[in-house]
Amino acid sequence: MSDAHRALITEFYQAFQRLDAEAMSACYTEDVVFSDPAFGELRGRDAGDMWRMLTSRAKDFSLTFDQVRADERSGGAHWVATYLFSQTGNTVINDIQARFVFRDGKICEHHDHFDLWLWARQALGVKGLLLGWTPLVKNAVRAQARKGLKAFQSGR
């Protein structure tokens, strides 16, 4: 099963490289739990919609991934996304460690870990550099990400 789970992770990131959110979402169970520092925790359709939103808005996007590993229950990967942050036009290089849990041949948990302060410095410039480490900015980033997701979902 670990070979199948490694193949599933590879399939997920190859779909991401193509900006194919439907193929990415197909790798998830219907009740998937996703989390990262920007969006917090998302469940089910919200996780798939996050990928639909991000892939539909991607500008100057590229993605690499490596260190794919898996066993019967869990797995992980390292990935780096490079893109233009739409709100500022700044280039972001986001270096991420992903952790997965599998159930019935699909991903039922996906947790991405990255340095939000480093992301904020790149995405927000001086404001992110000076204040990106504070709970105020971290909470504002999460609120803005969630607001964007809700607006995207309302427009579908």
Side-chain angles (χ1 to χ4, degrees):
M1 194 57 157
S2 60
D3 287 343
H5 289 154
R6 277 194 300 275
L8 181 63
I9 293 170
T10 299
E11 179 183 338
F12 180 86
Y13 287 114
Q14 286 174 339
F16 200 178
Q17 288 174 321
R18 298 187 311 270
L19 298 174
D20 184 348
E22 296 309 320
M24 294 170 71
S25 295
C27 296
Y28 283 162
T29 60
E30 287 187 18
D31 63 346
V32 67
V33 176
F34 171 87
S35 68
D36 81 357
F39 284 89
E41 186 177 289
L42 300 173
R43 293 179 173 269
R45 179 130 181 113
D46 287 347
D49 283 348
M50 175 201 62
W51 295 122
R52 289 177 186 92
M53 177 184 76
L54 293 175
T55 58
S56 71
R57 296 178 178 174
K59 301 283 186 249
D60 292 335
F61 177 84
S62 67
L63 181 133
T64 60
F65 67 97
D66 57 19
Q67 301 173 25
V68 175
R69 60 204 177 281
D71 59 27
E72 289 72 30
R73 173 152 166 65
S74 62
H78 167 254
W79 60 283
V80 178
T82 303
Y83 57 93
L84 283 183
F85 184 60
S86 61
Q87 293 178 7
T88 61
N90 292 342
T91 297
V92 172
I93 302 171
N94 203 7
D95 191 316
I96 300 165
Q97 289 292 329
R99 185 174 53 84
F100 302 96
V101 176
F102 306 108
R103 185 179 71 234
D104 300 328
K106 292 198 173 195
I107 298 165
C108 65
E109 290 185 32
H110 177 178
H111 304 284
D112 281 346
H113 303 278
F114 60 88
D115 184 334
L116 189 60
W117 185 23
L118 178 59
W119 178 89
R121 291 189 317 231
Q122 295 176 79
L124 305 175
V126 174
K127 177 183 173 184
L129 172 65
L130 297 176
L131 301 172
W133 60 272
T134 66
L136 178 69
V137 171
K138 289 179 179 184
N139 291 337
V141 166
R142 184 167 293 160
Q144 187 64 32
R146 294 275 186 143
K147 180 180 174 185
L149 177 59
K150 293 301 175 203
F152 175 80
Q153 290 171 318
S154 295
R156 292 187 72 201

